[in-house]
Short mmCIF file of all heavy atoms in Angstrom, two decimals:
data_model
loop_
_atom_site.label_atom_id
_atom_site.label_comp_id
_atom_site.label_asym_id
_atom_site.label_seq_id
_atom_site.Cartn_x
_atom_site.Cartn_y
_atom_site.Cartn_z
N MET A 1 1.84 12.23 -12.12
CA MET A 1 2.02 11.16 -13.09
C MET A 1 1.51 9.84 -12.49
O MET A 1 1.84 9.49 -11.37
CB MET A 1 3.51 11.02 -13.43
CG MET A 1 3.78 9.93 -14.44
SD MET A 1 5.52 9.83 -14.81
CE MET A 1 5.91 8.31 -13.99
N ASN A 2 0.71 9.16 -13.25
CA ASN A 2 0.16 7.89 -12.79
C ASN A 2 1.07 6.76 -13.24
O ASN A 2 1.51 6.72 -14.38
CB ASN A 2 -1.25 7.70 -13.35
CG ASN A 2 -2.07 6.78 -12.50
OD1 ASN A 2 -1.63 6.31 -11.47
ND2 ASN A 2 -3.28 6.54 -12.94
N ARG A 3 1.35 5.84 -12.35
CA ARG A 3 2.18 4.69 -12.68
C ARG A 3 1.55 3.46 -12.07
O ARG A 3 0.64 3.57 -11.26
CB ARG A 3 3.60 4.88 -12.17
CG ARG A 3 3.69 4.95 -10.66
CD ARG A 3 5.13 5.16 -10.21
NE ARG A 3 5.22 5.22 -8.78
CZ ARG A 3 5.57 4.22 -8.00
NH1 ARG A 3 5.88 3.07 -8.51
NH2 ARG A 3 5.64 4.35 -6.71
N SER A 4 2.02 2.32 -12.46
CA SER A 4 1.50 1.10 -11.85
C SER A 4 2.50 0.56 -10.83
O SER A 4 3.69 0.84 -10.89
CB SER A 4 1.19 0.04 -12.91
OG SER A 4 2.39 -0.38 -13.53
N ILE A 5 1.98 -0.18 -9.89
CA ILE A 5 2.81 -0.80 -8.86
C ILE A 5 3.07 -2.24 -9.28
O ILE A 5 2.14 -3.00 -9.52
CB ILE A 5 2.10 -0.75 -7.49
CG1 ILE A 5 1.98 0.70 -7.04
CG2 ILE A 5 2.85 -1.58 -6.46
CD1 ILE A 5 1.22 0.88 -5.74
N GLY A 6 4.35 -2.58 -9.39
CA GLY A 6 4.75 -3.91 -9.81
C GLY A 6 5.15 -4.79 -8.64
O GLY A 6 5.02 -4.41 -7.47
N ILE A 7 5.66 -5.95 -8.96
CA ILE A 7 6.01 -6.94 -7.94
C ILE A 7 7.12 -6.45 -7.01
O ILE A 7 7.08 -6.73 -5.80
CB ILE A 7 6.35 -8.31 -8.59
CG1 ILE A 7 6.40 -9.42 -7.52
CG2 ILE A 7 7.65 -8.25 -9.36
CD1 ILE A 7 5.07 -9.80 -6.99
N ASP A 8 8.09 -5.73 -7.53
CA ASP A 8 9.17 -5.22 -6.67
C ASP A 8 8.64 -4.26 -5.61
O ASP A 8 9.03 -4.33 -4.45
CB ASP A 8 10.26 -4.54 -7.50
CG ASP A 8 11.06 -5.53 -8.32
OD1 ASP A 8 11.10 -6.73 -7.95
OD2 ASP A 8 11.65 -5.11 -9.33
N GLU A 9 7.73 -3.37 -6.04
CA GLU A 9 7.14 -2.43 -5.08
C GLU A 9 6.24 -3.17 -4.08
O GLU A 9 6.22 -2.83 -2.91
CB GLU A 9 6.33 -1.35 -5.80
CG GLU A 9 7.19 -0.34 -6.50
CD GLU A 9 7.14 -0.48 -8.00
OE1 GLU A 9 6.64 -1.49 -8.51
OE2 GLU A 9 7.60 0.45 -8.67
N MET A 10 5.53 -4.17 -4.57
CA MET A 10 4.69 -4.98 -3.66
C MET A 10 5.57 -5.63 -2.60
O MET A 10 5.21 -5.64 -1.41
CB MET A 10 3.94 -6.06 -4.44
CG MET A 10 2.90 -5.53 -5.39
SD MET A 10 1.27 -5.35 -4.69
CE MET A 10 0.88 -6.98 -4.17
N ASN A 11 6.70 -6.19 -3.00
CA ASN A 11 7.62 -6.82 -2.05
C ASN A 11 8.15 -5.82 -1.04
O ASN A 11 8.25 -6.13 0.16
CB ASN A 11 8.76 -7.51 -2.78
CG ASN A 11 8.33 -8.79 -3.45
OD1 ASN A 11 7.34 -9.41 -3.07
ND2 ASN A 11 9.06 -9.20 -4.48
N ARG A 12 8.49 -4.62 -1.50
CA ARG A 12 8.98 -3.58 -0.58
C ARG A 12 7.91 -3.21 0.44
O ARG A 12 8.19 -3.05 1.63
CB ARG A 12 9.45 -2.34 -1.35
CG ARG A 12 10.78 -2.54 -2.02
CD ARG A 12 11.50 -1.24 -2.36
NE ARG A 12 10.69 -0.15 -2.83
CZ ARG A 12 10.54 0.21 -4.10
NH1 ARG A 12 11.13 -0.48 -5.05
NH2 ARG A 12 9.80 1.25 -4.43
N MET A 13 6.67 -3.08 -0.04
CA MET A 13 5.58 -2.76 0.89
C MET A 13 5.39 -3.89 1.90
O MET A 13 5.24 -3.64 3.10
CB MET A 13 4.27 -2.51 0.13
CG MET A 13 4.23 -1.18 -0.59
SD MET A 13 2.57 -0.76 -1.21
CE MET A 13 2.33 -1.97 -2.49
N CYS A 14 5.38 -5.13 1.41
CA CYS A 14 5.20 -6.28 2.32
C CYS A 14 6.30 -6.32 3.37
O CYS A 14 6.02 -6.53 4.56
CB CYS A 14 5.19 -7.59 1.52
SG CYS A 14 3.65 -7.91 0.66
N ASN A 15 7.53 -6.13 2.95
CA ASN A 15 8.64 -6.16 3.90
C ASN A 15 8.51 -5.06 4.95
O ASN A 15 8.75 -5.30 6.14
CB ASN A 15 9.98 -6.04 3.17
CG ASN A 15 10.32 -7.30 2.42
OD1 ASN A 15 9.86 -8.38 2.75
ND2 ASN A 15 11.12 -7.16 1.37
N ALA A 16 8.11 -3.87 4.52
CA ALA A 16 7.95 -2.76 5.47
C ALA A 16 6.84 -3.06 6.47
O ALA A 16 6.98 -2.77 7.67
CB ALA A 16 7.65 -1.47 4.70
N ILE A 17 5.76 -3.65 6.00
CA ILE A 17 4.64 -3.98 6.89
C ILE A 17 5.03 -5.09 7.86
O ILE A 17 4.72 -5.03 9.05
CB ILE A 17 3.40 -4.36 6.06
CG1 ILE A 17 2.91 -3.13 5.28
CG2 ILE A 17 2.30 -4.91 6.95
CD1 ILE A 17 1.93 -3.45 4.16
N MET A 18 5.76 -6.09 7.37
CA MET A 18 6.20 -7.18 8.25
C MET A 18 7.18 -6.69 9.30
O MET A 18 7.23 -7.24 10.40
CB MET A 18 6.77 -8.34 7.43
CG MET A 18 5.69 -9.11 6.69
SD MET A 18 6.26 -10.62 5.88
CE MET A 18 7.44 -9.98 4.70
N GLN A 19 7.96 -5.66 9.00
CA GLN A 19 8.87 -5.09 9.99
C GLN A 19 8.11 -4.48 11.16
O GLN A 19 8.66 -4.31 12.25
CB GLN A 19 9.78 -4.04 9.36
CG GLN A 19 10.86 -4.65 8.50
CD GLN A 19 11.73 -3.61 7.84
OE1 GLN A 19 11.52 -2.40 7.99
NE2 GLN A 19 12.73 -4.05 7.10
N LEU A 20 6.84 -4.17 10.96
CA LEU A 20 5.99 -3.66 12.04
C LEU A 20 5.48 -4.80 12.93
O LEU A 20 4.84 -4.55 13.94
CB LEU A 20 4.80 -2.89 11.48
CG LEU A 20 5.11 -1.62 10.69
CD1 LEU A 20 3.83 -1.06 10.09
CD2 LEU A 20 5.79 -0.59 11.57
N GLY A 21 5.73 -6.05 12.52
CA GLY A 21 5.31 -7.19 13.30
C GLY A 21 4.10 -7.94 12.75
O GLY A 21 3.60 -8.86 13.40
N TYR A 22 3.64 -7.56 11.57
CA TYR A 22 2.50 -8.24 10.98
C TYR A 22 2.94 -9.50 10.24
O TYR A 22 4.09 -9.61 9.81
CB TYR A 22 1.75 -7.30 10.03
CG TYR A 22 1.07 -6.18 10.77
CD1 TYR A 22 1.71 -4.95 10.95
CD2 TYR A 22 -0.17 -6.35 11.35
CE1 TYR A 22 1.11 -3.93 11.66
CE2 TYR A 22 -0.78 -5.34 12.06
CZ TYR A 22 -0.13 -4.13 12.21
OH TYR A 22 -0.72 -3.13 12.93
N GLN A 23 2.03 -10.44 10.11
CA GLN A 23 2.31 -11.70 9.43
C GLN A 23 2.33 -11.49 7.91
O GLN A 23 1.72 -10.54 7.41
CB GLN A 23 1.23 -12.73 9.79
CG GLN A 23 1.20 -13.09 11.26
CD GLN A 23 2.50 -13.74 11.69
OE1 GLN A 23 3.02 -14.62 11.02
NE2 GLN A 23 3.03 -13.28 12.82
N PRO A 24 3.03 -12.39 7.19
CA PRO A 24 3.12 -12.23 5.72
C PRO A 24 1.75 -12.14 5.03
O PRO A 24 1.58 -11.33 4.12
CB PRO A 24 3.88 -13.48 5.28
CG PRO A 24 4.72 -13.83 6.46
CD PRO A 24 3.88 -13.48 7.67
N HIS A 25 0.78 -12.94 5.46
CA HIS A 25 -0.52 -12.88 4.78
C HIS A 25 -1.22 -11.54 5.03
O HIS A 25 -1.89 -11.03 4.14
CB HIS A 25 -1.43 -14.06 5.19
CG HIS A 25 -1.91 -14.01 6.60
ND1 HIS A 25 -1.14 -14.44 7.66
CD2 HIS A 25 -3.07 -13.57 7.12
CE1 HIS A 25 -1.82 -14.27 8.78
NE2 HIS A 25 -3.00 -13.74 8.49
N GLU A 26 -1.01 -10.95 6.20
CA GLU A 26 -1.58 -9.63 6.48
C GLU A 26 -0.90 -8.57 5.63
O GLU A 26 -1.56 -7.66 5.10
CB GLU A 26 -1.41 -9.29 7.96
CG GLU A 26 -2.19 -10.20 8.89
CD GLU A 26 -1.79 -10.04 10.34
OE1 GLU A 26 -0.58 -9.98 10.65
OE2 GLU A 26 -2.72 -9.98 11.17
N ALA A 27 0.41 -8.69 5.49
CA ALA A 27 1.17 -7.74 4.67
C ALA A 27 0.75 -7.84 3.21
O ALA A 27 0.60 -6.81 2.52
CB ALA A 27 2.67 -7.99 4.81
N ARG A 28 0.54 -9.05 2.71
CA ARG A 28 0.12 -9.22 1.32
C ARG A 28 -1.25 -8.61 1.06
O ARG A 28 -1.47 -7.98 0.02
CB ARG A 28 0.09 -10.70 0.94
CG ARG A 28 1.45 -11.26 0.59
CD ARG A 28 1.35 -12.64 -0.07
NE ARG A 28 0.68 -13.62 0.78
CZ ARG A 28 1.26 -14.36 1.70
NH1 ARG A 28 2.55 -14.23 1.92
NH2 ARG A 28 0.57 -15.23 2.41
N ILE A 29 -2.15 -8.79 1.99
CA ILE A 29 -3.49 -8.20 1.83
C ILE A 29 -3.40 -6.68 1.76
O ILE A 29 -4.00 -6.05 0.88
CB ILE A 29 -4.41 -8.64 2.99
CG1 ILE A 29 -4.72 -10.13 2.88
CG2 ILE A 29 -5.71 -7.82 2.99
CD1 ILE A 29 -5.38 -10.73 4.11
N ALA A 30 -2.65 -6.07 2.65
CA ALA A 30 -2.51 -4.61 2.67
C ALA A 30 -1.81 -4.11 1.40
O ALA A 30 -2.24 -3.13 0.79
CB ALA A 30 -1.75 -4.16 3.91
N ALA A 31 -0.73 -4.78 1.00
CA ALA A 31 0.00 -4.36 -0.20
C ALA A 31 -0.86 -4.52 -1.44
O ALA A 31 -0.84 -3.67 -2.34
CB ALA A 31 1.30 -5.16 -0.33
N THR A 32 -1.64 -5.57 -1.49
CA THR A 32 -2.54 -5.78 -2.63
C THR A 32 -3.60 -4.69 -2.68
O THR A 32 -3.90 -4.15 -3.76
CB THR A 32 -3.21 -7.17 -2.54
OG1 THR A 32 -2.19 -8.16 -2.56
CG2 THR A 32 -4.17 -7.40 -3.68
N THR A 33 -4.12 -4.33 -1.54
CA THR A 33 -5.13 -3.25 -1.47
C THR A 33 -4.53 -1.94 -1.95
O THR A 33 -5.13 -1.23 -2.76
CB THR A 33 -5.67 -3.10 -0.04
OG1 THR A 33 -6.29 -4.33 0.34
CG2 THR A 33 -6.65 -1.96 0.06
N MET A 34 -3.34 -1.63 -1.47
CA MET A 34 -2.71 -0.36 -1.86
C MET A 34 -2.33 -0.34 -3.33
O MET A 34 -2.45 0.69 -3.98
CB MET A 34 -1.51 -0.08 -0.96
CG MET A 34 -1.96 0.22 0.47
SD MET A 34 -0.67 0.75 1.56
CE MET A 34 -0.35 2.41 0.97
N SER A 35 -1.91 -1.47 -3.86
CA SER A 35 -1.56 -1.49 -5.29
C SER A 35 -2.82 -1.43 -6.15
O SER A 35 -2.82 -0.81 -7.21
CB SER A 35 -0.72 -2.72 -5.63
OG SER A 35 -1.46 -3.90 -5.46
N ARG A 36 -3.91 -2.04 -5.68
CA ARG A 36 -5.16 -1.98 -6.43
C ARG A 36 -5.66 -0.54 -6.57
O ARG A 36 -6.18 -0.16 -7.63
CB ARG A 36 -6.23 -2.84 -5.75
CG ARG A 36 -7.58 -2.80 -6.47
CD ARG A 36 -8.65 -3.61 -5.76
NE ARG A 36 -8.70 -3.46 -4.31
CZ ARG A 36 -9.25 -2.42 -3.67
NH1 ARG A 36 -9.77 -1.43 -4.33
NH2 ARG A 36 -9.26 -2.39 -2.34
N LEU A 37 -5.47 0.25 -5.53
CA LEU A 37 -5.89 1.65 -5.60
C LEU A 37 -5.19 2.38 -6.74
O LEU A 37 -5.77 3.27 -7.37
CB LEU A 37 -5.61 2.36 -4.27
CG LEU A 37 -6.48 1.93 -3.09
CD1 LEU A 37 -5.96 2.56 -1.81
CD2 LEU A 37 -7.93 2.30 -3.33
N VAL A 38 -3.96 2.00 -7.02
CA VAL A 38 -3.20 2.64 -8.10
C VAL A 38 -3.48 1.95 -9.43
O VAL A 38 -3.86 2.59 -10.41
CB VAL A 38 -1.68 2.59 -7.80
CG1 VAL A 38 -0.87 3.09 -8.98
CG2 VAL A 38 -1.37 3.41 -6.55
N ASN A 39 -3.29 0.63 -9.47
CA ASN A 39 -3.37 -0.10 -10.74
C ASN A 39 -4.77 -0.19 -11.31
O ASN A 39 -4.94 -0.15 -12.53
CB ASN A 39 -2.81 -1.51 -10.56
CG ASN A 39 -1.33 -1.52 -10.20
OD1 ASN A 39 -0.65 -0.52 -10.33
ND2 ASN A 39 -0.84 -2.64 -9.74
N LYS A 40 -5.78 -0.33 -10.47
CA LYS A 40 -7.14 -0.52 -10.96
C LYS A 40 -8.01 0.72 -10.84
O LYS A 40 -8.91 0.92 -11.64
CB LYS A 40 -7.83 -1.67 -10.20
CG LYS A 40 -7.13 -2.99 -10.29
CD LYS A 40 -7.34 -3.61 -11.64
CE LYS A 40 -6.74 -5.01 -11.63
NZ LYS A 40 -6.41 -5.47 -12.95
N GLN A 41 -7.77 1.53 -9.81
CA GLN A 41 -8.65 2.66 -9.57
C GLN A 41 -8.03 4.00 -9.97
O GLN A 41 -8.69 5.02 -9.87
CB GLN A 41 -9.11 2.68 -8.11
CG GLN A 41 -9.98 1.46 -7.79
CD GLN A 41 -10.45 1.43 -6.37
OE1 GLN A 41 -9.73 1.77 -5.45
NE2 GLN A 41 -11.69 1.01 -6.18
N GLY A 42 -6.78 4.00 -10.38
CA GLY A 42 -6.17 5.20 -10.94
C GLY A 42 -5.65 6.25 -9.98
O GLY A 42 -5.34 7.36 -10.39
N PHE A 43 -5.52 5.91 -8.69
CA PHE A 43 -4.95 6.87 -7.75
C PHE A 43 -3.46 7.03 -8.02
O PHE A 43 -2.81 6.14 -8.57
CB PHE A 43 -5.16 6.40 -6.31
CG PHE A 43 -6.57 6.56 -5.82
CD1 PHE A 43 -7.47 5.51 -5.91
CD2 PHE A 43 -6.99 7.75 -5.27
CE1 PHE A 43 -8.77 5.65 -5.46
CE2 PHE A 43 -8.28 7.90 -4.81
CZ PHE A 43 -9.18 6.85 -4.91
N VAL A 44 -2.94 8.17 -7.62
CA VAL A 44 -1.51 8.44 -7.74
C VAL A 44 -0.89 8.26 -6.36
O VAL A 44 -1.37 8.83 -5.37
CB VAL A 44 -1.26 9.87 -8.27
CG1 VAL A 44 0.23 10.17 -8.32
CG2 VAL A 44 -1.89 10.04 -9.64
N VAL A 45 0.17 7.46 -6.30
CA VAL A 45 0.85 7.15 -5.03
C VAL A 45 1.27 8.43 -4.33
O VAL A 45 1.85 9.32 -4.93
CB VAL A 45 2.09 6.26 -5.28
CG1 VAL A 45 2.88 6.07 -4.00
CG2 VAL A 45 1.68 4.93 -5.86
N GLY A 46 0.96 8.49 -3.04
CA GLY A 46 1.41 9.59 -2.21
C GLY A 46 0.49 10.80 -2.15
O GLY A 46 0.69 11.67 -1.31
N THR A 47 -0.51 10.86 -3.02
CA THR A 47 -1.42 12.00 -2.98
C THR A 47 -2.33 11.88 -1.75
O THR A 47 -2.55 10.79 -1.24
CB THR A 47 -2.30 12.07 -4.25
OG1 THR A 47 -3.11 10.89 -4.33
CG2 THR A 47 -1.45 12.22 -5.50
N PRO A 48 -2.85 13.01 -1.30
CA PRO A 48 -3.76 12.95 -0.15
C PRO A 48 -4.97 12.03 -0.38
O PRO A 48 -5.40 11.32 0.53
CB PRO A 48 -4.20 14.40 0.04
CG PRO A 48 -3.09 15.21 -0.56
CD PRO A 48 -2.57 14.39 -1.70
N GLU A 49 -5.48 12.02 -1.60
CA GLU A 49 -6.62 11.16 -1.91
C GLU A 49 -6.25 9.69 -1.80
O GLU A 49 -7.00 8.89 -1.27
CB GLU A 49 -7.16 11.45 -3.32
CG GLU A 49 -7.74 12.84 -3.49
CD GLU A 49 -6.68 13.89 -3.80
OE1 GLU A 49 -5.51 13.53 -4.10
OE2 GLU A 49 -7.00 15.09 -3.70
N TYR A 50 -5.08 9.34 -2.31
CA TYR A 50 -4.59 7.96 -2.24
C TYR A 50 -4.43 7.53 -0.79
O TYR A 50 -4.89 6.46 -0.38
CB TYR A 50 -3.26 7.84 -2.99
CG TYR A 50 -2.57 6.52 -2.82
CD1 TYR A 50 -3.03 5.39 -3.48
CD2 TYR A 50 -1.44 6.39 -2.01
CE1 TYR A 50 -2.40 4.16 -3.34
CE2 TYR A 50 -0.81 5.18 -1.86
CZ TYR A 50 -1.28 4.07 -2.53
OH TYR A 50 -0.65 2.86 -2.38
N MET A 51 -3.79 8.38 0.00
CA MET A 51 -3.55 8.05 1.40
C MET A 51 -4.87 7.92 2.16
O MET A 51 -5.03 7.02 2.99
CB MET A 51 -2.64 9.09 2.05
CG MET A 51 -1.25 9.17 1.42
SD MET A 51 -0.33 7.63 1.55
CE MET A 51 0.10 7.67 3.28
N ALA A 52 -5.82 8.80 1.89
CA ALA A 52 -7.12 8.74 2.57
C ALA A 52 -7.86 7.46 2.23
O ALA A 52 -8.42 6.80 3.11
CB ALA A 52 -7.96 9.97 2.19
N TRP A 53 -7.85 7.08 0.95
CA TRP A 53 -8.52 5.84 0.55
C TRP A 53 -7.82 4.62 1.14
O TRP A 53 -8.47 3.67 1.58
CB TRP A 53 -8.62 5.72 -0.96
CG TRP A 53 -9.84 6.38 -1.50
CD1 TRP A 53 -9.94 7.62 -2.07
CD2 TRP A 53 -11.17 5.85 -1.49
NE1 TRP A 53 -11.23 7.89 -2.41
CE2 TRP A 53 -12.01 6.81 -2.07
CE3 TRP A 53 -11.72 4.66 -1.04
CZ2 TRP A 53 -13.38 6.61 -2.21
CZ3 TRP A 53 -13.08 4.47 -1.19
CH2 TRP A 53 -13.90 5.43 -1.76
N ALA A 54 -6.51 4.64 1.15
CA ALA A 54 -5.76 3.51 1.72
C ALA A 54 -6.08 3.37 3.21
O ALA A 54 -6.32 2.27 3.70
CB ALA A 54 -4.26 3.70 1.50
N ARG A 55 -6.10 4.49 3.92
CA ARG A 55 -6.44 4.44 5.35
C ARG A 55 -7.85 3.91 5.56
O ARG A 55 -8.11 3.12 6.47
CB ARG A 55 -6.33 5.83 5.97
CG ARG A 55 -4.92 6.28 6.19
CD ARG A 55 -4.89 7.64 6.91
NE ARG A 55 -3.58 8.22 6.77
CZ ARG A 55 -3.25 9.18 5.91
NH1 ARG A 55 -4.15 9.70 5.11
NH2 ARG A 55 -2.02 9.62 5.85
N ARG A 56 -8.76 4.35 4.71
CA ARG A 56 -10.16 3.93 4.83
C ARG A 56 -10.30 2.44 4.58
O ARG A 56 -11.01 1.73 5.29
CB ARG A 56 -10.99 4.72 3.81
CG ARG A 56 -12.45 4.79 4.11
CD ARG A 56 -13.17 5.78 3.19
NE ARG A 56 -12.67 7.13 3.39
CZ ARG A 56 -12.33 7.97 2.40
NH1 ARG A 56 -12.45 7.60 1.14
NH2 ARG A 56 -11.89 9.17 2.66
N GLU A 57 -9.61 1.94 3.56
CA GLU A 57 -9.76 0.53 3.19
C GLU A 57 -8.97 -0.40 4.11
O GLU A 57 -9.42 -1.51 4.38
CB GLU A 57 -9.35 0.32 1.73
CG GLU A 57 -10.31 0.99 0.78
CD GLU A 57 -10.44 0.30 -0.54
OE1 GLU A 57 -9.92 -0.81 -0.70
OE2 GLU A 57 -11.08 0.88 -1.41
N ILE A 58 -7.81 0.03 4.56
CA ILE A 58 -6.97 -0.83 5.39
C ILE A 58 -7.29 -0.63 6.87
O ILE A 58 -7.28 -1.59 7.65
CB ILE A 58 -5.47 -0.58 5.09
CG1 ILE A 58 -5.18 -1.05 3.67
CG2 ILE A 58 -4.57 -1.29 6.10
CD1 ILE A 58 -3.84 -0.66 3.14
N GLY A 59 -7.58 0.58 7.25
CA GLY A 59 -7.98 0.85 8.63
C GLY A 59 -6.85 0.87 9.64
O GLY A 59 -7.10 0.75 10.83
N ASN A 60 -5.62 1.05 9.17
CA ASN A 60 -4.48 1.04 10.09
C ASN A 60 -3.44 2.04 9.58
O ASN A 60 -2.78 1.80 8.57
CB ASN A 60 -3.89 -0.36 10.18
CG ASN A 60 -2.79 -0.46 11.21
OD1 ASN A 60 -1.87 0.34 11.21
ND2 ASN A 60 -2.89 -1.45 12.07
N GLU A 61 -3.30 3.13 10.30
CA GLU A 61 -2.40 4.21 9.89
C GLU A 61 -0.95 3.75 9.76
O GLU A 61 -0.24 4.13 8.83
CB GLU A 61 -2.50 5.36 10.89
CG GLU A 61 -1.53 6.50 10.65
CD GLU A 61 -1.84 7.30 9.39
OE1 GLU A 61 -3.02 7.42 9.04
OE2 GLU A 61 -0.89 7.76 8.75
N SER A 62 -0.48 2.92 10.69
CA SER A 62 0.92 2.51 10.66
C SER A 62 1.22 1.64 9.44
O SER A 62 2.30 1.76 8.84
CB SER A 62 1.32 1.78 11.96
OG SER A 62 0.58 0.61 12.13
N ILE A 63 0.29 0.79 9.05
CA ILE A 63 0.49 -0.04 7.85
C ILE A 63 0.54 0.83 6.61
O ILE A 63 1.42 0.69 5.76
CB ILE A 63 -0.62 -1.11 7.73
CG1 ILE A 63 -0.43 -2.19 8.80
CG2 ILE A 63 -0.63 -1.73 6.34
CD1 ILE A 63 -1.53 -3.24 8.83
N VAL A 64 -0.41 1.74 6.50
CA VAL A 64 -0.46 2.62 5.33
C VAL A 64 0.81 3.47 5.23
O VAL A 64 1.41 3.58 4.16
CB VAL A 64 -1.72 3.51 5.37
CG1 VAL A 64 -1.69 4.55 4.26
CG2 VAL A 64 -2.97 2.65 5.25
N SER A 65 1.23 4.03 6.35
CA SER A 65 2.44 4.87 6.34
C SER A 65 3.68 4.07 5.97
O SER A 65 4.51 4.54 5.19
CB SER A 65 2.62 5.53 7.71
OG SER A 65 1.57 6.42 7.96
N ALA A 66 3.83 2.89 6.55
CA ALA A 66 5.01 2.05 6.25
C ALA A 66 5.04 1.67 4.78
O ALA A 66 6.09 1.73 4.14
CB ALA A 66 5.02 0.81 7.13
N ALA A 67 3.90 1.28 4.23
CA ALA A 67 3.84 0.89 2.83
C ALA A 67 4.12 2.08 1.92
O ALA A 67 4.86 1.97 0.93
CB ALA A 67 2.49 0.27 2.51
N ALA A 68 3.54 3.23 2.24
CA ALA A 68 3.77 4.43 1.42
C ALA A 68 5.22 4.85 1.47
O ALA A 68 5.81 5.24 0.45
CB ALA A 68 2.85 5.56 1.87
N ASP A 69 5.83 4.78 2.66
CA ASP A 69 7.25 5.11 2.79
C ASP A 69 8.11 4.15 1.96
O ASP A 69 9.11 4.56 1.37
CB ASP A 69 7.68 5.07 4.25
CG ASP A 69 7.10 6.22 5.06
OD1 ASP A 69 6.57 7.18 4.46
OD2 ASP A 69 7.17 6.14 6.31
N ALA A 70 7.73 2.88 1.93
CA ALA A 70 8.48 1.91 1.15
C ALA A 70 8.40 2.23 -0.35
O ALA A 70 9.38 2.02 -1.08
CB ALA A 70 7.96 0.49 1.40
N LEU A 71 7.27 2.74 -0.80
CA LEU A 71 7.13 3.10 -2.20
C LEU A 71 7.95 4.35 -2.52
O LEU A 71 8.46 4.49 -3.63
CB LEU A 71 5.67 3.36 -2.56
CG LEU A 71 4.77 2.14 -2.60
CD1 LEU A 71 3.34 2.56 -2.89
CD2 LEU A 71 5.26 1.15 -3.65
N ALA A 72 8.06 5.26 -1.55
CA ALA A 72 8.80 6.50 -1.77
C ALA A 72 10.31 6.28 -1.78
O ALA A 72 11.05 7.08 -2.33
CB ALA A 72 8.42 7.51 -0.70
N ALA A 73 10.76 5.19 -1.16
CA ALA A 73 12.21 4.93 -1.05
C ALA A 73 12.81 4.52 -2.37
O ALA A 73 12.23 4.05 -3.25
CB ALA A 73 12.46 3.85 -0.01
#
């Protein structure tokens, strides 16, 4: 099922990324990228394709994993 990522999910992703020690602007960029993959490009959160594209675009496994885990919570 395809859904969109809203502001609450964006905030959860940002908080999870900042807990890794990244700055708020870095967290916002990563969360925006991950939400764009869903909202604009039609990926489904958590699928292997979504995770692969997120890793490719963000380039940091720990950020992608933390943000994806925040969406799953």
Side-chain angles (χ1 to χ4, degrees):
M1 180 179 109
N2 204 2
R3 65 180 180 99
S4 66
I5 294 176
I7 193 72
D8 290 337
E9 287 108 347
M10 293 270 301
N11 286 337
R12 285 201 321 261
M13 286 191 292
C14 283
N15 288 336
I17 294 165
M18 287 187 298
Q19 286 178 357
L20 297 174
Y22 292 94
Q23 297 298 314
H25 69 278
E26 295 168 315
R28 279 193 301 274
I29 291 168
T32 299
T33 299
M34 292 187 73
S35 66
R36 179 182 43 79
L37 290 172
V38 173
N39 296 346
K40 302 284 186 204
Q41 295 180 321
F43 285 94
V44 177
V45 173
T47 62
E49 295 84 12
Y50 172 75
M51 297 299 286
W53 273 100
R55 285 184 196 101
R56 201 171 297 133
E57 293 210 9
I58 293 170
N60 185 309
E61 175 69 33
S62 62
I63 288 176
V64 173
S65 295
D69 289 347
L71 289 177

